[in-house]
Amino acid sequence: PKPSSAASDVYKRQDWYKGQDDTTYVVLERYESQDALDAHGQTEYMKTIGGEMGQYMAGRPEVSILKSI
């Protein structure tokens, strides 16, 4: 499923990158605030996409939360 417009409204920016091999991808998401990130995690889309994406992944995704300086 695609995120609803309400879900995508919480993004300030989202970029996708592919590694040199066909198994590594990076999604860089930037949010307006911690509240926006928290709201994103509570969307129906995010509650269902993890299980659906799991069949295409070798394991749990690595997630890093960074602060802009």
Side-chain angles (χ1 to χ4, degrees):
K2 289 187 162 199
S4 69
S5 61
S8 59
D9 285 346
V10 299
Y11 295 120
K12 182 173 183 181
R13 181 179 179 117
Q14 183 183 62
D15 296 307
W16 290 69
Y17 301 90
K18 182 178 174 290
Q20 291 183 334
D21 60 42
D22 287 336
T23 63
T24 302
Y25 294 85
V26 174
V27 179
L28 179 61
E29 297 175 340
R30 175 174 249 175
Y31 295 87
E32 292 288 343
S33 65
Q34 182 64 48
D35 288 342
L37 172 59
D38 294 343
H40 172 65
Q42 295 303 312
T43 61
E44 196 60 38
Y45 173 75
M46 287 303 295
K47 291 177 181 179
T48 59
I49 193 67
E52 293 176 13
M53 286 180 51
Q55 64 184 318
Y56 303 107
M57 301 171 70
R60 291 183 62 89
E62 293 179 33
V63 176
S64 298
I65 298 176
L66 309 172
K67 286 192 166 208
S68 180
I69 56 171

